[in-house]
Amino acid sequence: MALGGPALGQAGEHTKGDVMARHPSARRVLTHMALLAAASTAILSTGRAIGAPVSGGDQLWVSTLNDPADNTDQANAVAVSPDGSKVFVTGYSSGSTGIYDYTTAAYDAVTGSPLWQRRYDGPGHGYDTAKAVTVSPDGSKVFVTGGSDGTGGYEDIATIAYDAGTGSKLWLARYDGSGHKNDWGLSIAASPDGSKVFVAGYANRASTRDDFTVLAYAAGAGTSLWTRFYNGPGTSQGDQAYSVAASPDGARVFATGFAAAGSTSDIATMALDATTGGPLWLMKYNGPGNNSDGGEDVAVSPDGQSVFVAGDSAGAGLYYDYATIAYDAASGAQKWVKRYDGPAHRDDITASVAMGPDGSSVFVTGNSVGSGTGVDYATVAYDAATGSPLWTRRYDGPVSLDDGAEAVGVSPDGSKVFVTGHSEGSTGATDYATQAYDAGTGTVLWESRFDGPGHDYDDAFSLAVGPDGSSVFVTGSSYSTTTADDWATVAYSA
């Protein structure tokens, strides 16, 4: 059942490139990958154990994926099964025609040994890119979403459910907006009872172009339950949902992204009834620069009372700052908003937000221009009740150039915060750089870098923490001089 949102004006059209281009690291990776060409079917390599761990940050294993023709492969998201036995990674890998397919793989969480791999080539046999993965609460199913070429030559939102144990495809659901142009799924979440799957992204509609879109499916069969759109009042650009989360009681769904507002955009956050898709509230945030603002990630407090949004917001000087906003989950009333402007007072771009398990702290990470240090990681901890900053930690890599965090996670006991991304090393290219902080003080507990065999560009995009808190899993893209860009998934001792 389709439930349309308010149509408040014509929105601009976005292309596939817009999805990946909001962060500097993503733009650089795309440019780097565009130079590569070849073809074949992807295969999964054997996981490689890296010695016996003795302390936090030690590598437990590394597992890579490369297609036989040594073409482009990139992992975009990682998740761990609730029992901690399996790690699931999704992204894309070049197929026999040299064009990307969805690729999803499962690994043994202890050894990194590959368990299964599945590919999906859409009906248009064009570019198919999975962007997000989640696991059902009982661990029986894995869900992925992204953008997949349809028969008309444009991407559709394609969501797939796999059996977590065998990799067998359980169902496939494609969504083609009424405009029959590019539609993308950018985030996915399962309901706490495992009955529903929620996808957030954007869909092109004939009357309004790209709209903020949330879809709901029955987790068992993939049946469409409802669709909700929002079309902002601006005319120069579209509207997109970047992140989705469900409330702990399963009653509400929250999505954040951006909505057009005149010639600019605002951070837009929407609450929906999880059963019907009916809108509960919509809140927007326009920063002091009255320019482009966008929500990047959303998290819900463990008690379900608050929603936290992290985004990018233009300041008075028109450079971006972190903007972190707390809303009342029931009413949408703004509880607090905090901005972070780095020492150089230039662009500060958020990437990810996470909650502590006791609900007392919120952690935000991203990249921030430093003072004489290039671009750095910047991670900020806030008091969840008041928004008061608790600590800030910046990371400047060994050559003080390009360092950007992409993901943040918290240990199940709430004692540690983990951040990963890319950091330029002594070779002039980037490495994975993963850090652990004391959640209470921000003290650095350990740092681990991964420089792939090609000693070239290695970029981590996603992080997941094992349910027992003993392991951290990081995935992304690692360049090799012989096999081009490959997936690389790394497990660390937490």
Side-chain angles (χ1 to χ4, degrees), residues 113-128:
S113 298
L115 301 176
W116 54 259
Q117 177 196 319
R118 294 295 179 267
R119 302 176 62 86
Y120 172 67
D121 180 18
H125 304 296
Y127 290 95
D128 308 299

Side-chain angles (χ1 to χ4, degrees), residues 170-220:
L170 302 176
W171 53 261
L172 162 69
R174 295 182 64 90
Y175 181 81
D176 180 17
S178 60
H180 304 298
K181 292 191 177 179
N182 289 332
D183 313 302
W184 275 78
L186 303 179
S187 180
I188 193 166
S191 63
D193 66 358
S195 66
K196 304 177 187 70
V197 180
F198 308 104
V199 173
Y202 68 90
N204 184 278
R205 296 202 293 161
S207 59
T208 57
R209 298 190 182 178
D210 292 349
D211 288 341
F212 186 115
T213 301
V214 183
L215 311 172
Y217 296 103

Side-chain angles (χ1 to χ4, degrees), residues 144-178:
V144 300
T145 197
S148 169
D149 268 8
T151 54
Y154 292 96
E155 286 90 353
D156 300 329
I157 298 173
T159 305
I160 307 174
Y162 296 104
D163 183 286
T166 65
S168 298
K169 186 170 72 176
L170 302 176
W171 53 261
L172 162 69
R174 295 182 64 90
Y175 181 81
D176 180 17
S178 60

